[in-house]
Amino acid sequence: MPVDERSGRSEHMPWQSTPYVLLLFLSSLVASLWAGYAILAVPEERRSRTVTAFVVLCLSAAVWAATYAIQIASTGLEAKLFVYRLLHVGAAATPSAWLAFALAYTGRGDRLTPPVVAALATIPVVLVALLVANPYSLALVDVELVTTGSLTRLETTLGPAYQFHLAFSYVAVVAGASLIVGHALRSGGQVKRQAALLICGALIPLALNVFEVLSLPPFGTGPVNLTPVSLSVSTACFGVAVFRYRLFDLTPIASRVVLSEMDDGVVVIDADGTVVDVNPAAEAVVGDRETAIGAAVSTRLPEYDRLETAEDDVVLATREGPDGDRFLRLSRSPLRRGGETYGWVVLIGDVTTIETQRRTLEERNERLDAFAGIVSHDLRNPLSVISGYAEIASETGEEEHFETIQDTVDRMTEFLEDLLQLSRQGETVTEFEPVPLRGTLEAVETGIADGDLTVIVDDSAADAVVLADRARLYQVLDNLLRNARDHADGPVTVTVGRLRDGFFLADDGPGIPEADREAVFDVGFTTRESGTGFGLTIVRDVVEAHGWSIEATEGEDGGARFEITGVEFAGSEAVDAATEAPADPA
């Protein structure tokens, strides 16, 4: 029907009725309800970017549907054109809101920086402003009323600025859908179904808009633009995602826990056992976030199987770290709503310090228990000897009995000194300094002053300077040389040589049976009737306190050979200073 475009008058009634109007208002109402639900379901202080973007997306769709319903219902050109401009407040904002939602939903919310958000908000504002002012026909080239059947509609010829916005809208919707598709492919079944609904809700209006812009049948040639009408389908998809697949159960609840500044690692798992989200602290345990999401939790966190069967949902895991083993405490909590579990949050806490202290305390307690048993046994016997010989000496007055008593007292003194040293091993190593190996060995040999003991330092170790605690290195060498002397039936020679990362002491004595080579370092282990069983235990503890390792093997001559590895040697510039210092800590 012909229309006077200048006056905006039509021969139709002021309002026209069509089922599309009711459908559009219904879509607007449902979209508004989804936005309200999101606002009420998640308190403001815990609201994530995902929830905020979802609210904006629903509200923009609601405005778009409602204003398009008013535009269809109106009949005058001026009224239709005014509402046409107004509906773009929602229509132009929807693609930007969708892209922002997709970024946040797929865990890329950190990319929604203030400049990015400002840019996404500016695009619809600029379009609406151009539609109002329309300078140089940038937004609209021409508008007219066209009557199809009993329905009068507004037909527009779009300008270059509007065409540019259309291109941006297509890119934004497709990019957002691609992000969600990629996220769904890496996720479990529930997230896949949830994402499929969101993608359908976005792509259906996009497809119909393409039909409309290109006037393609059957959807692009009708009396009404089906793009905003299809928002009824979009809102239905969003509703199923919210209520059936719990859109806000995993993402917002996890967002309350998964905080980037947390020192503890956090892994969010869906009901199918698939990793849904990972915070930065957890990446050191489960791997990079991009590769971890979508993987089965058991492949990224092998201890999770134990966590599932643990009575208190807590297990201890061990990982290698730059400074040795790290101890991790794994615990999990369910994500529940309405009595149904939709996923789990696994917390990963580094308890290395606490666990190390606990184990150290446990070792000390075990050592105290061992001390108690050894003291009660090894002191009772010599005290009985002293008591018996003291009684005999008092009766006979023979000097040899006093010599036996004195020898027994000497053994007890040695025993108590070894016991005291062993009890202090946790505090033995203090300051490291360059210590000449040869000079220390000579000092130890002099201190022992036993003609049956000969120490030979071969050329490989003659100039070796060890970075060590001087007094404690002396103690190690002293115990090893005494051990070689005490276990030999006669004269014994100990050869000291250099290893690639340490040194060795090998004697030509009887050696150590292979079955006993690990046990010789245990508290109280001895093959001598008068031995305390503390000497090699002291050696092991002091060596390990330095960060070194010690192993008992067989020497080339069949005797005992002790290899100390992990040793750091001083450079040539430290040799002169080391040799000037006294080798004997006494």
Side-chain angles (χ1 to χ4, degrees), residues 10 12 16 72 74-75 80 145-147 150-154:
S10 171
H12 286 289
Q16 54 188 350
I72 291 177
S74 62
T75 56
K80 280 185 175 292
L145 290 180
V146 176
T147 301
S150 61
L151 192 65
T152 301
R153 60 187 181 86
L154 181 70

Side-chain angles (χ1 to χ4, degrees), residues 195-212:
L197 289 167
L198 297 175
I199 293 168
C200 288
L203 294 186
I204 289 175
L206 175 67
L208 291 175
N209 188 258
V210 172
F211 277 96
E212 175 68 23

Side-chain angles (χ1 to χ4, degrees), residues 179-226:
L179 289 174
I180 294 179
V181 167
H183 176 72
L185 292 176
R186 298 191 305 269
S187 302
Q190 179 169 309
V191 175
K192 283 186 172 69
R193 294 186 288 271
Q194 185 186 92
L197 289 167
L198 297 175
I199 293 168
C200 288
L203 294 186
I204 289 175
L206 175 67
L208 291 175
N209 188 258
V210 172
F211 277 96
E212 175 68 23
V213 170
L214 299 179
S215 298
L216 297 175
F219 304 112
T221 55
V224 174
N225 182 355
L226 294 179

Side-chain angles (χ1 to χ4, degrees), residues 431-515:
E431 184 176 352
F432 282 60
E433 59 179 308
V435 182
L437 184 58
R438 183 183 189 125
T440 306
L441 285 163
E442 291 173 351
V444 172
E445 185 179 13
T446 302
I448 295 175
D450 191 321
D452 288 339
L453 173 66
T454 302
V455 180
I456 298 175
V457 181
D458 67 23
D459 293 341
S460 64
D463 297 325
V465 177
V466 180
L467 290 177
D469 182 308
R470 182 180 297 271
R472 301 287 73 81
L473 178 60
Y474 183 99
Q475 186 180 18
V476 167
L477 298 175
D478 181 73
N479 276 283
L480 288 174
L481 293 180
R482 290 180 185 274
N483 181 77
R485 181 203 63 182
D486 293 342
H487 285 83
D489 295 331
V492 63
T493 298
V494 179
T495 302
V496 181
R498 177 82 176 263
L499 299 172
R500 182 181 59 82
D501 62 341
F503 58 91
F504 68 86
L505 289 84
D507 64 53
D508 57 0
I512 304 172
E514 185 175 357

Side-chain angles (χ1 to χ4, degrees), residues 357-417:
Q357 292 174 347
R358 186 192 69 78
R359 295 191 177 199
T360 300
L361 181 60
E362 189 176 79
E363 289 177 1
R364 289 184 178 179
N365 288 338
E366 291 176 356
R367 181 175 293 165
L368 287 175
D369 290 340
F371 284 171
I374 293 169
V375 169
S376 64
H377 176 271
D378 287 11
L379 287 185
R380 184 180 294 112
N381 290 339
L383 286 173
S384 298
V385 172
I386 292 172
S387 176
Y389 276 93
E391 183 176 348
I392 295 174
S394 65
E395 294 175 356
T396 64
E398 294 179 1
E399 185 176 345
E400 61 183 52
H401 300 310
F402 292 105
E403 291 177 357
T404 302
I405 293 173
Q406 184 61 51
D407 291 341
T408 306
V409 169
D410 291 341
R411 289 207 317 272
M412 290 179 62
T413 301
E414 179 186 358
F415 175 86
L416 291 174
E417 287 178 353

